[in-house]
């Protein structure tokens, strides 16, 4: 009896120890989970701080381009700026600020590109140390004003390439978003069978939205014909608008083809995007062109010009920010299981996009022309800007059509690609 009682007491003690141990482990797990959640929120807030830094850099580049010669006399004393600082204002001033912004974000890319977990020191560097980063940013923006102009000119040539890469990344991100939106509002047959009522309502919304986008696109084409191609002498504008209308018809036909069968929503959104790119390209034609919209707005600082300029800068910042946070689109291995201590987005890709965005805003401010003298309060105006946007529109249409037709051309590889993420998740679960 005494032995059995002792065994019971010992068993109870062991049970109590196990309960206490489990409670301690549960408490530590909850504590770590709360810590990871706080670090993740801090990391997400850091994105907006970098966006503000990028916006301020854009404004600094504009100020030096348009008013630096009058308000920043210190630059005149730099040998690299030449006589009276002529090589540090206007186009060269924009390139120097762009180079400083590029150096800052590329350094951030190098220091954070392999970050994986929230507990790493590089995560703390990405999300904090703002005073030191501001100092580094000021140094990065100052140093280019002491670099000889020949090297700045070379950077300008490289910036054209970097800006082109940025446009390609932006296009891929936009098309992936359109594809996701289409699958959300217009689901496939499998989802329709599982959630009949919910899917029916979403399909109705998707059909309504596709109708709205197509009507908007047609109206946009008609308005552009009236405003920018009303005369037979405006042959180039007529070509731009007619080719855009033809692309809209081709996308609609391909989307409705029985082998593709993607519906009208994604093609409708893409149609509106192409119309916007065409309109933006025509708006970028220089004032010397016969049918250019710039002929109607030759003033150097009217309130409409100022508002349009500020909207354009905000649009550049938003495009850079949205592309930078969309790292999942550019992952080669998709469907990988995410852990609680994983970083919420890829820091390296984020900073790389911002470094390319620094090159992109430089090209917009100087209209892709290294020898130009941009007009005050102007952005992305000139024949080079026009053709960049037109080629961007055509490339976007080609990329979208390829994305529609590729599953019908190579169905086996697409099936393998879709099955692979599922296998990865199963393997992780089995481990």
């Amino acid at each position: 009896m005494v032995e059995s009682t002792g065994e019971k007491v010992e068993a109870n003690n062991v049970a109590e120890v196990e309960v206490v141990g489990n409670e301690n482990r549960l408490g530590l797990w909850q504590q770590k989970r709360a810590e990871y959640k706080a670090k993740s929120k801090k990391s997400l807030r850091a994105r907006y701080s970098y966006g503000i830094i990028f916006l301020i850099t854009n404004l600094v580049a504009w100020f030096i381009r348009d008013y630096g010669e009058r308000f920043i006399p210190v630059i005149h004393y730099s040998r690299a700026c030449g006589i009276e600082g002529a090589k540090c204002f206007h186009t060269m001033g924009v390139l120097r600020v762009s180079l400083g912004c590029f150096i800052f974000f590329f350094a951030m890319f190098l220091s954070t590109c392999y970050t994986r977990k929230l507990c790493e020191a590089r995560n703390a560097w990405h999300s904090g140390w703002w005073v030191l980063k501001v100092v580094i940013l000021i140094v990065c923006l100052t140093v280019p004003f002491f670099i000889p102009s020949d090297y700045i000119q070379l950077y300008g040539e490289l910036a054209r390439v970097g800006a082109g890469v940025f446009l390609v990344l932006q296009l891929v991100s936009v098309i992936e978003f359109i594809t996701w939106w289409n699958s959300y509002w217009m689901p496939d047959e499998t989802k329709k069978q599982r959630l009949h009522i919910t899917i029916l309502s979403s399909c109705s919304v998707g059909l309504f939205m596709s109708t709205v986008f197509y009507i908007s696109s047609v109206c946009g084409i008609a308005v552009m014909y009236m405003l920018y191609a009303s005369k037979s002498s405006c042959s180039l504008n007529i070509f731009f608008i007619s080719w855009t209308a033809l692309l809209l018809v081709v996308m609609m036909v391909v989307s409705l083809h029985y082998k593709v069968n993607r519906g009208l929503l994604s093609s409708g959104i893409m149609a509106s995007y192409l119309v916007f790119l065409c309109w933006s390209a025509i708006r970028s034609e220089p004032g010397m062109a016969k049918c250019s919209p710039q002929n109607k707005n030759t003033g150097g600082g009217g309130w409409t010009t100022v508002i349009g300029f500020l909207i354009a800068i905000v649009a550049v910042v938003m495009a850079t920010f949205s592309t930078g946070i969309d790292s999942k689109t550019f992952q080669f291995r998709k469907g990988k299981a995410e852990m609680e201590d994983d970083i919420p987005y890829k820091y390296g890709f984020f900073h790389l996009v911002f470094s390319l965005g620094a090159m992109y805003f430089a090209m917009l401010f100087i209209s892709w022309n290294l020898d130009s003298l941009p007009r005050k309060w102007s952005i992305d105006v000139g024949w080079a800007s026009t053709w960049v946007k037109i080629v961007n529109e055509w490339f976007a249409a080609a990329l979208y059509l390829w994305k529609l037709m590729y599953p019908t051309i190579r169905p086996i590889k697409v099936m393998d690609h879709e099955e692979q993420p599922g296998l990865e998740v199963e393997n992780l679960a089995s481990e």
Side-chain angles (χ1 to χ4, degrees), residues 84-138:
E84 296 185 356
K87 296 181 179 180
C88 285
F89 301 114
H90 307 300
T91 297
M92 294 299 289
V94 171
L95 290 176
R96 291 177 190 275
V97 175
S98 170
L99 176 59
C101 183
F102 170 80
I103 292 173
F104 174 78
F105 281 107
F106 195 75
M108 291 299 302
F109 160 72
L110 294 177
S111 60
T112 61
C113 59
Y114 289 109
T115 309
R116 295 288 183 268
K117 301 296 181 180
L118 292 169
C119 57
E120 295 181 27
R122 285 174 294 187
N123 175 71
W125 164 243
H126 169 80
S127 306
W129 297 84
W130 293 109
V131 176
L132 178 59
K133 287 176 185 174
V134 170
V135 174
I136 294 174
L137 176 64
I138 294 174

Side-chain angles (χ1 to χ4, degrees), residues 151-416:
Y151 294 102
I152 301 299
Q153 197 79 13
L154 178 61
Y155 168 75
E157 298 291 346
L158 296 176
R160 286 176 171 171
V161 179
V165 175
F166 175 84
L167 286 175
V168 172
L169 294 178
Q170 184 185 3
L171 277 181
V172 174
S173 179
V174 168
I175 292 176
E176 285 296 321
F177 172 75
I178 292 173
T179 304
W180 170 84
W181 204 7
N182 180 73
S183 62
Y184 181 81
W185 290 111
M186 305 292 287
D188 54 20
E189 296 297 329
T190 306
K191 293 182 179 178
K192 287 181 181 180
Q193 294 175 1
R194 287 185 298 177
L195 302 170
H196 179 70
I197 298 177
T198 306
I199 297 303
L200 185 62
S201 61
S202 65
C203 286
S204 301
V205 175
L207 183 61
F208 171 76
M209 294 298 295
S210 60
T211 304
V212 170
F213 278 113
Y214 265 108
I215 292 177
S216 302
S217 303
V218 173
C219 291
I221 292 290
V223 170
M224 285 194 295
Y225 269 122
M226 290 188 295
L227 294 179
Y228 311 131
S230 57
K231 302 176 183 178
S232 58
S233 58
C234 303
S235 57
L236 187 60
N237 287 353
I238 293 173
F239 168 71
F240 287 159
I241 301 170
S242 301
W243 189 256
T244 302
L246 178 62
L247 290 176
L248 265 58
V249 174
V250 171
M251 289 192 304
M252 182 178 67
V253 171
V254 173
S255 297
L256 293 177
H257 194 274
Y258 72 96
K259 288 186 177 180
V260 177
N261 195 22
R262 292 294 182 90
L264 292 175
L265 180 58
S266 63
S267 59
I269 302 173
M270 196 65 194
S272 299
Y273 183 61
L274 294 187
V275 171
F276 167 76
L277 290 178
C278 180
W279 170 82
S280 181
I282 294 176
R283 292 287 301 175
S284 294
E285 292 178 358
M288 64 188 71
K290 292 184 294 184
C291 303
S292 170
Q294 302 296 327
N295 289 327
K296 302 176 183 179
N297 185 24
T298 56
W303 67 271
T304 54
T305 304
V306 173
I307 292 177
F309 178 81
L310 294 177
I311 291 175
I313 288 183
V314 173
V316 172
V317 176
M318 291 181 62
T320 307
F321 182 84
S322 60
T323 306
I325 62 177
D326 190 22
S327 57
K328 291 184 178 179
T329 298
F330 302 92
Q331 287 181 355
F332 293 102
R333 294 182 60 188
K334 297 183 179 181
K336 184 180 178 181
E338 295 183 359
M339 309 298 291
E340 287 188 350
D341 60 342
D342 287 343
I343 57 175
Y345 55 96
K346 301 299 181 183
Y347 300 157
F349 179 80
F350 178 82
H351 292 296
L352 179 62
V353 170
F354 269 74
S355 65
L356 295 174
M359 294 179 167
Y360 177 64
F361 83 68
M363 292 298 104
L364 295 186
F365 280 127
I366 67 175
S367 300
W368 298 81
N369 189 351
L370 301 181
D371 300 321
S372 67
L373 185 63
R375 182 164 49 88
K376 286 185 178 181
W377 294 98
S378 67
I379 184 170
D380 210 17
V381 175
W383 283 119
S385 300
T386 298
W387 281 106
V388 166
K389 291 180 180 179
I390 287 295
V391 172
N392 189 31
E393 176 199 346
W394 297 346
F395 184 73
L399 191 63
Y400 176 73
L401 289 172
W402 173 252
K403 188 175 180 63
L404 288 179
M405 295 185 294
Y406 183 75
T408 62
I409 298 173
R410 305 291 294 272
I412 298 177
K413 286 192 175 183
V414 170
M415 288 175 64
D416 293 341

